[in-house]
C-alpha cells in the first residue's frame, strides 16, 4: 500500500509517529523505502551532502529535478516529497505553481516542500493547494534564509519570535499545507505547535513531541563532514567505508586480490 498525505493526517490522530528521511539517489531511496520509511524527502540539503555546495542556496531546479527523478525510481511505498530550491518559488505564487507543477509532472513526487510562513508563503501554499499540488511547510530554522539568520541558529528562543513561528504554522495549516517541518526550535514551542495544529508536525532538532521526525540521511548514517549538534547518528559509515577501501587497497597492493 502506497502512503499518501491522508495517511499522515490519520496517523497524527492515531498517535502513530511518522518516520521521514532524506534521499538524493536511486540506491539510497530504494534502501530507505524497503526499510519501511514513511516519507522520503528529496531535501535541498542534497546541495551540501551530494553536490558539495556550502549552503542550499546554489542548488538549481534542474539539479533538483535530476536527483528527484533518480530517487523516485527507487520508491514504491513511501510518500515522496521534493523540496523547491531557493528562488524557484519565492517570486510569486505563479512561479511556485509552474515549478511545483514541473516537480510533480517530471519526477513523480506526490508533494512539494517549501520554506517560510506568513504572509507571503501562506499565500503561495494556498495558491498551490487550490490547484492540486500538496504542500509540506517548513518553519523555524529555514536553511534557505541562513544569511538572514546570520548562521544556522536556533529560532523561536524569545517570546516574540516563538509567537511569530506559531502564527506561521497556523497560517500554513489554514492555507492548506498537509504537514509542517519544524526545524531547530525549542522543544516546548514545537510541542505547543503540535498540539494546536490538526496537521502533523515533523521535527528536526525540535524535541520528541512532534508527530514525526526527519533527519538528513547522511547525518543518520555518519557520512556527513559536518552536521548540526541536534542530528543523531545511528552508524559511522564514513569509518566503515574508509576501512573497506583501505582493506581493498591493501589487498590490491600486495597482489592478494
Ligand atoms: O533539505 C532538507 O534535508 C530538509 C530537512 C532537513 C527537513 O529540509
Amino acid at each position: 500500500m502506497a502512503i499518501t498525505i491522508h495517511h499522515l493526517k490519520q496517523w497524527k490522530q492515531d498517535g502513530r509517529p511518522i518516520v521521514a528521511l532524506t534521499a538524493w539517489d536511486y540506491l539510497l531511496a530504494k534502501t530507505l523505502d524497503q526499510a519501511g520509511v514513511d516519507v522520503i524527502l528529496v531535501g535541498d540539503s542534497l546541495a551540501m551532502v551530494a553536490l558539495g555546495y556550502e549552503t542550499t542556496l546554489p542548488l538549481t531546479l534542474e539539479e533538483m529535478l535530476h536527483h528527484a527523478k533518480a530517487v523516485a525510481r527507487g520508491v514504491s511505498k513511501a510518500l515522496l516529497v521534493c523540496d523547491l530550491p531557493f528562488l524557484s518559488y519565492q517570486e510569486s505564487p505563479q512561479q511556485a505553481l509552474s515549478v511545483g507543477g514541473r516537480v510533480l509532472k517530471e519526477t513523480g513526487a506526490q508533494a512539494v516542500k517549501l520554506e517560510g510562513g506568513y504572509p507571503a508563503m501562506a499565500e503561495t501554499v494556498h495558491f498551490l493547494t487550490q490547484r492540486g499540488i500538496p504542500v509540506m511547510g517548513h518553519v523555524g530554522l529555514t536553511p534557505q534564509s541562513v544569511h538572514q539568520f546570520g548562521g544556522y541558529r536556533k529560532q523561536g528562543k524569545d517570546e516574540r519570535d516563538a509567537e511569530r513561528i506559531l502564527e506561521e504554522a497556523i497560517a500554513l495549516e489554514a492555507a492548506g499545507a498537509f504537514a509542517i517541518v519544524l526545524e531547530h526550535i525549542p522543544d516546548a514551542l514545537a510541542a505547543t505547535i503540535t498540539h494546536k495544529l490538526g496537521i502533523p508536525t515533523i521535527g528536526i532538532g525540535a524535541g520528541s513531541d512532534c508527530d514525526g521526525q526527519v533527519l538528513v540521511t547522511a547525518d543518520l548514517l555518519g557520512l556527513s563532514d559536518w552536521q548540526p549538534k541536534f542530528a543523531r547518528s545511528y552508524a559511522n559509515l564514513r569509518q566503515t567505508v574508509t576501512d573497506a577501501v583501505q582493506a581493498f587497497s591493501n589487498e590490491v597492493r600486495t597482489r592478494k586480490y
Side-chain angles (χ1 to χ4, degrees), residues 9-24:
K9 288 183 188 167
Q10 185 60 47
W11 292 341
K12 175 173 179 117
Q13 284 170 25
D14 299 344
R16 175 210 183 278
I18 297 160
V19 177
L21 283 172
T22 68
W24 49 87

Side-chain angles (χ1 to χ4, degrees), residues 5 8 39-44 61 64-65 68 79-85 88-89 93 95-116 121 124-138 144 172 176-181 199 202:
I5 61 169
L8 268 55
V39 178
I40 295 183
L41 170 68
V42 192
D44 62 355
L61 177 60
M64 183 50 117
L65 291 169
L79 179 75
L80 183 58
V81 182
C82 183
D83 259 343
L84 299 186
S88 73
Y89 63 96
Q95 184 202 26
L97 180 66
S98 74
V99 170
R102 271 194 77 184
V103 168
L104 262 56
K105 281 161 84 108
E106 294 179 29
T107 71
Q110 286 110 310
V112 299
K113 177 166 80 60
L114 52 81
E115 296 185 5
M121 285 311 124
T124 296
V125 170
H126 185 250
F127 196 78
L128 296 190
T129 53
Q130 287 296 301
R131 287 161 179 80
I133 300 185
V135 181
M136 179 181 277
H138 185 160
Q144 293 178 7
L172 289 171
F178 70 89
I180 300 187
V181 169
I199 57 171
I202 302 188

Side-chain angles (χ1 to χ4, degrees), residues 138 181-185 202-207 210 213-216 230:
H138 185 160
V181 169
L182 304 178
E183 180 162 352
H184 207 15
I185 59 173
I202 302 188
I204 173 162
C210 298
Q213 298 291 330
V214 61
L215 277 179
V216 173
F230 59 73

Side-chain angles (χ1 to χ4, degrees), residues 27-186:
L27 268 185
L28 178 60
K30 192 164 185 176
T31 306
L32 299 182
D33 195 60
Q34 291 182 345
V37 168
D38 301 317
V39 178
I40 295 183
L41 170 68
V42 192
D44 62 355
S45 55
L46 76 80
M48 295 149 96
V49 301
L51 299 178
Y53 292 127
E54 276 191 15
T55 68
T56 57
L57 275 57
L59 186 73
T60 66
L61 177 60
E62 297 310 321
E63 287 168 331
M64 183 50 117
L65 291 169
H66 178 75
H67 281 267
K69 285 182 205 172
V71 168
R73 286 179 209 117
V75 176
S76 53
K77 184 163 183 248
L79 179 75
L80 183 58
V81 182
C82 183
D83 259 343
L84 299 186
F86 180 57
L87 291 194
S88 73
Y89 63 96
Q90 285 95 340
E91 213 172 285
S92 65
Q94 285 77 7
Q95 184 202 26
L97 180 66
S98 74
V99 170
R102 271 194 77 184
V103 168
L104 262 56
K105 281 161 84 108
E106 294 179 29
T107 71
Q110 286 110 310
V112 299
K113 177 166 80 60
L114 52 81
E115 296 185 5
Y118 183 76
M121 285 311 124
E123 187 195 342
T124 296
V125 170
H126 185 250
F127 196 78
L128 296 190
T129 53
Q130 287 296 301
R131 287 161 179 80
I133 300 185
V135 181
M136 179 181 277
H138 185 160
V139 298
L141 171 57
T142 45
Q144 293 178 7
S145 302
V146 58
H147 298 311
Q148 202 158 16
F149 295 142
Y152 295 104
R153 296 169 196 283
K154 191 178 215 171
Q155 300 297 303
K157 288 204 302 197
D158 63 58
E159 213 176 303
R160 219 167 126 202
D161 203 38
E163 188 60 32
R164 173 187 64 80
I165 293 170
L166 172 61
E167 279 170 13
E168 287 187 340
I170 291 171
L172 289 171
E173 173 171 32
F178 70 89
I180 300 187
V181 169
L182 304 178
E183 180 162 352
H184 207 15
I185 59 173

